[in-house]
Each structure stands twice: as structure tokens, then as C-alpha cells.
Amino acid sequence: MKNESLTVVENKTIAAKTHEMTLSGPLVDAIDQPGTFLHVAVPGEDLVLRRPISIAAVNQGAGTCAIVYKEEGDGTERLARCRAGDQLEVLGPLGNQGFPVEEPLPGDDVLLIGGGVGVPPLYFATCELVKRGVSVSVILGFQTAAAVFYARAFNELPGCDVHVMTDDGSNGRAGTVIDALNERPYAPDWLFSCGPRGMLRAIETNAADSKTHGYVSLEERMGCGIGACFACVCETNDGASYRKICRDGPVFAFKEVVL
Amino acid sequence: METDPRLYVTLPGLPMKNPVMPASGCFAFGREYAELFDLEELGAVAIKGTTGEARIGNPTPRVAETPSGMLNAIGLQNPGAQAVRDEELPFLANYDVPVLANVSGSTPEEYVVVVQTLNDAPNVGAFELNISCPNVKEGGIQFGTDPDAAAALTEAVKRVSTKPVYVKLSPNVTDVTAIARAVEAAGANGLTLINTLLGMRIDAGTGKPVLANEKGGLSGPAVKPIALRMIHDVRQGTKLPIIGMGGVQSAEDVIEFLVAGADVVAVGTANFSNPFVCPTIIRELPEWLDKLDVAHIGALRWQGEKI
């Protein structure tokens, strides 16, 4: 965990209200696990909370990483206005539990399901999996064609089978990621997912009782991002304890926590 | 870090090498921040509010941003007094830094139990009675809004405490000085103020409150003018030492709080925007003393002519 000023290398719109920001700085050296995130201070002193943003890709050779965020409020609007050369205070990489990309073996059936801005950490995970020679299937869900991003990037990865679903059928097929999941004839060996909580709940319900090693990446409003403020907690499935999403996650195994 | 002797301030139970500590609830029990900097740089550490039994806290979302501030409704999540004594305080004992143990409860008996449990922890320098948590129904605010109840609770705790007792006052009252006087008469050794102001945000898109708890405690720079005013008011009505807080995020803010009447300050929300804010402020304070040409930080404190 480091806190550094990172330099904005590029900040571009990749879909409706969705932006990809490339950052450079020594902190990038420490990024090695898909699913971890950066806690980004937003320009302007009136916004007191940092924004937790998952890491979409890392290029250690170039010393850069990419984050993807949706413009939803004051903070992300300010991030969207950042230009190449601007500096951003960044704490990270945060999270002690990412996607276990080192575990699937070549030949395993690996499925990744992403919804909306839940897609980026799965891209990072897919890059690491294909680097190890693991073939993956990816289901990407968006509301409509204008919201779709990274579909081509996934397609360009070797051994990556991509299915795009949109609610209105304006890109890929009409339906939800759950529809696509349920069309599969058998349960995958591994299932990594990130997206809205309702989507994750449905995925766990549909796949939890199989042989599948399933993992979900959770989002929550955060305070400190390092486990000190107890803002982003979730209950364990046995109801006996809790986990901090920022510190103990953000990726959890199926049934580890209440979704 | 070399300590500037001009920054030493000794409060009851808290010999501080500088006047800056993280505020309770913003620093957990120090483990996370210890990964980022040496806790011995701090003047003291105020630990998270501790209750008799473990509490799981409120549903999420527990935080919401506001203009120049934030709302929180954590709900006093903590592992309970025994776990704090056995598992958390020994970690902090690895550092030469006094601990201010924040004590919360639903009944006077619960406060007494927490104090009795933590009394023998050698690194606890003093207790801070949280009579002002706005985020749970039984978080003590019933004691913080009534002078008689605040005094009775202070007396009950003073009877069992082997350490000095500070009382953390709520700003959610009409006359904070009346509560301060009441707890001073009841034997309090110091005051902490302010706790958060009860607030609310609503998501215009859904028409629903942003926080699961609906209401939460407002903190951050937005509350600083209120904190300064209340500290200034209380300074004029009591001789007790004051740990001031409410939107502190810079060395300049520390000066403002001292001039308003605080003896030392605690930093809360700013730890979230900048986890290094406390050591940064501490490093900058000597320059301010040079600039103001004072021989010791204590000379800045407003002395309170009306006392």
C-alpha cells in the first residue's frame, strides 16, 4: 500500500458516461492482483472522501495502469475533467483478496461475468488468466449499446470467448447475464464476477450449489479504504461476524458473505 | 522523528509530545495506519468507541459525502471491551503513545463495565466518555443532551475509573456550556468537543435517504466553524482541558482551535481523505510557531478572560 501522486497519461470516454483513465507512477509496480483497487482523491478540497476504483489493466513495462469509472456525481465528473499531465493523489493498491487467477489450470472451464462498471476488474483478471494459457468465457452485461465497452478488448485476448448481453438487445443479445449463464449446459469450474449486487446475488443463487469455485467482487461506499472506519462492512453468511470489503475483500468466495 | 519541545502538551493522563491525535472512530485501533507511518509520531491515539459487548453496527451504506463533509452512521461497531483490552490495546502498547479510550454504552452500568475492563490496560492514559453518538438509539446521546444525566454518568464512571475521565460533548444541544459545567462539577478531568452533528442526505433520484440508518453524524471541514464557536463558548465556562475537534485538516486549523480555547486537537474525517494528515500537520506545526513567534504551543491557547 502506497500513497502517491500519479500522473494522468490519458483520460478518454469509452462509452456513455464511462471513462478510462491511464495513470503512471511508481505505485504501479505494486499492482499484481486483479480485483484490487485504487483509492483516488478527487481534485478540490470540498470533496472529502476518496473514490474507490477497481483496476482494469496494468502494464508493468510502461509503468502504467488503467482505471474505468462511470460519471455519476460530483467526484467522478471532476475525474472526467482531468487531462494528461494532471496529478492525482492515489492510495493503493488496496484490498487483500482479489480474484485467484493463479489457481485455474489450463483446461479448466473458467467463466467471468461482468455487469456495467463491474467489467474492468474482470478484464485485468482475464489478461492474467490468458497469460497463463487458461481459456476463458466472458459474459458482459450492459443496459444498452451506448454503455458497452471493452467487448473488443476481450475479443482480442487469445482464447477468450466473449458474449455481450444488453437489456434492450441493441448490442450482442437481448437479455441479462443470468440468461446467458443459464443457457450454459454445465456449471463452470471457476466463476469470477463483478457488477451490481442484485446481479451477483442471482449469479450465486444460480451457481453456488454446483462444483463451481465462485468469487464475487463487491462495491460499497467507503470512508478510509484501509479498514479503519468500518464503513464498508458486510455480514458473513453464518451471521456470526463481518468482513470489511476494503480490507478483507473486495473479492469474496461464494457464500462467504451475505450479498 | 525528532520532537520539537515547543510542541509538548501534558493533559491529565496524556503526556503528549505534540498536540495532535486522531479522533475516535476514525483510526480504529491503529493497526491500519501503523502500516503507513510510525504511530509514535502522534501525540496520542483515541481508539474506536468501545461498548460492553461486541456490536455489529448499522446496515450499509454507512457513509455519505456532503459539501465539505461527510455523514456517517457506523453504529458503534466494535469487538467489545474484553476483546479491545486483550487483542487491540496490546498492539498499541508496542508504541510509545498514550491511548485515550473512548467508552460508549446504553446504560450507566455499561459505561462502568467498559471502564472497569480497560482500567488495568497500562497504555490507556485516560477515558473519553462518548455521551454523544448520534447514530444508534442507545449510543449515549440521552446522556449528552441533559446536564443532570451527563453529570450522573460522569460521577458513576469517576467512582470506578483509575484514570482521568474526559467527557465528549454533543453539539446537538442548545447550550453546550451547561453540559460542560455539569460534567465539570461531577468530576470530569477534561472535555472533548465536538462530536458529529446529526444530519441527513436524500438521493434525489430515488427519493430515499442515502444512509441505511437514514440519519448520520456530519463531520469534516463543514462543521469547523461550529466546533470553533462551541469550543470558544465552553472555554469561557470551564477551566477543564479541552480536546478540540471538528473539521481539522491542517496545521493552520490546529492554530485556530488552540486560539479558540482547545489545549490539543483531534483529527477525524481528514484521515480518510489523507491517511498521512496527522504526521503532516505535526511536521508543519513548528513553522507556524516560528511564524507566530511563540515559545511554546500552549501560549496560543485562548486563556478565557471570563473564567
Side-chain angles (χ1 to χ4, degrees):
Chain A
M1 183 195 340
K2 294 177 181 175
N3 186 65
E4 272 175 18
S5 278
L6 295 188
T7 305
V8 177
V9 175
E10 190 178 30
N11 193 21
K12 63 181 181 187
T13 304
I14 55 172
K17 298 233 165 218
T18 309
H19 309 272
E20 180 190 69
M21 183 185 281
T22 305
L23 296 162
S24 80
L27 182 151
V28 172
D29 291 346
I31 299 172
D32 60 1
Q33 199 180 13
T36 53
F37 65 97
L38 301 179
H39 214 28
V40 181
V42 176
E45 289 188 352
D46 57 322
L47 298 180
V48 301
L49 295 179
R50 292 186 178 218
R51 300 301 191 263
I53 305 177
S54 55
I55 299 162
V58 63
N59 183 339
Q60 295 293 6
T64 61
C65 67
I67 56 175
V68 173
Y69 57 95
K70 193 155 188 194
E71 209 178 321
E72 285 175 324
D74 292 343
T76 42
E77 279 170 20
R78 281 189 211 174
L79 288 180
R81 288 204 294 269
C82 288
R83 295 288 167 260
D86 289 352
Q87 302 281 311
L88 287 175
E89 280 287 307
V90 176
L91 183 67
L94 300 180
N96 283 326
Q97 200 163 262
F99 291 112
V101 290
E102 62 290 343
E103 291 190 37
L105 301 170
D108 282 356
D109 180 19
V110 182
L111 175 64
L112 291 87
I113 304 179
V117 283
V119 167
L122 297 178
Y123 180 71
F124 186 5
T126 303
C127 290
E128 295 300 307
L129 286 163
V130 300
K131 231 187 257 177
R132 293 184 50 240
V134 180
S135 298
V136 302
S137 293
V138 179
I139 302 170
L140 308 176
F142 301 94
Q143 285 180 333
T144 186
V148 176
F149 63 92
Y150 274 17
R152 187 182 300 166
F154 276 101
N155 264 316
E156 287 170 356
L157 295 173
C160 183
D161 171 38
V162 184
H163 304 263
V164 174
M165 307 293 289
T166 47
D167 294 345
D168 58 5
S170 55
N171 189 318
R173 290 193 301 125
T176 67
V177 297
I178 305 300
D179 297 329
L181 171 66
N182 289 337
E183 282 169 12
R184 289 170 60 93
Y186 44 83
D189 298 314
W190 299 87
L191 200 167
F192 299 164
S193 51
C194 185
R197 197 64 74 92
M199 183 196 103
L200 299 179
R201 209 177 290 132
I203 288 172
E204 188 181 86
T205 304
N206 280 264
D209 294 327
S210 65
K211 59 168 184 165
T212 303
H213 303 285
Y215 292 85
V216 294
S217 179
L218 301 189
E219 280 188 327
E220 184 56 77
R221 283 171 186 267
M222 287 182 187
C224 66
I226 60 174
C229 76
F230 293 72
C232 63
V233 298
C234 54
E235 208 179 331
T236 53
N237 237 19
D238 60 8
S241 185
Y242 65 90
R243 296 276 185 273
K244 295 170 183 171
I245 290 174
C246 66
R247 180 86 181 179
D248 303 321
V251 175
F252 296 95
F254 277 1
K255 300 288 187 186
E256 189 178 345
V257 296
V258 178
L259 295 179
Chain B
M1 190 175 80
E2 199 176 321
T3 306
D4 188 324
R6 294 179 296 169
L7 297 181
Y8 276 93
V9 182
T10 293
L11 298 191
L14 303 171
M16 295 171 61
K17 44 187 165 303
N18 62 67
V20 178
M21 71 172 87
S24 174
C26 300
F27 209 71
F29 299 95
R31 289 179 192 275
E32 295 79 14
Y33 288 92
E35 294 175 25
L36 295 168
F37 61 85
D38 184 354
L39 299 186
E40 294 193 6
E41 292 191 40
L42 301 168
V45 170
I47 59 169
K48 185 152 173 56
T50 299
T51 51
E53 302 296 325
R55 287 206 196 184
I56 196 84
N58 290 327
T60 55
R62 290 175 168 189
V63 293
E65 202 167 41
T66 63
S68 296
M70 65 174 272
L71 292 169
N72 90 81
I74 306 296
L76 289 177
Q77 179 168 352
N78 80 95
Q82 283 201 10
V84 168
R85 183 190 62 190
D86 298 340
E87 292 157 31
E88 303 295 348
L89 288 170
F91 170 78
L92 280 169
N94 294 321
Y95 299 90
D96 179 23
V97 62
V99 172
L100 179 65
N102 185 286
V103 179
S104 295
S106 311
T107 62
E109 292 74 26
E110 187 176 1
Y111 283 87
V112 164
V113 165
V114 175
V115 168
Q116 285 173 324
T117 307
L118 302 184
N119 252 336
D120 58 357
N123 54 331
V124 168
F127 292 110
E128 176 180 59
L129 302 189
N130 178 3
I131 59 168
S132 41
C133 176
N135 296 327
V136 289
K137 283 181 188 147
E138 287 102 21
I141 197 157
Q142 72 273 26
F143 303 112
T145 50
D146 173 44
D148 293 338
L153 180 72
T154 305
E155 274 175 11
V157 167
K158 280 294 291 180
R159 274 197 290 275
V160 297
S161 176
T162 59
K163 312 278 171 75
V165 174
Y166 293 70
V167 181
K168 187 167 186 174
L169 303 181
S170 171
N172 301 303
V173 294
T174 308
D175 183 4
V176 68
T177 308
I179 314 271
R181 286 196 176 116
V183 300
E184 182 175 27
N189 303 96
L191 300 170
T192 309
L193 67 158
I194 60 173
N195 205 322
T196 55
L197 287 125
L198 194 56
M200 188 175 187
R201 271 209 65 193
I202 291 164
D203 182 330
T206 63
K208 291 179 180 166
V210 175
L211 296 172
N213 192 51
E214 296 193 349
K215 298 170 193 172
L218 178 66
S219 62
V223 311
K224 193 178 93 173
I226 299 167
L228 288 168
R229 186 269 295 175
M230 287 193 158
I231 289 164
H232 193 66
D233 285 354
V234 168
R235 180 78 284 151
Q236 294 178 69
T238 171
K239 290 184 170 144
L240 290 179
I242 293 173
I243 302 171
M245 69 189 73
V248 176
Q249 56 180 359
S250 67
E252 193 174 351
D253 290 338
V254 172
I255 305 297
E256 277 198 67
F257 274 74
L258 297 181
V259 172
D263 294 81
V264 299
V265 301
V267 181
T269 302
N271 290 291
F272 303 158
S273 29
N274 174 11
F276 297 94
V277 67
C278 287
T280 302
I281 289 173
I282 292 162
R283 280 189 204 107
E284 290 174 357
L285 277 174
E287 290 168 36
W288 274 93
L289 297 188
D290 294 341
K291 192 186 296 184
L292 297 167
D293 195 24
V294 296
H296 186 268
I297 190 119
L300 291 172
R301 199 194 82 169
W302 193 77
Q303 301 299 324
E305 291 165 11
K306 292 182 189 170
I307 291 174

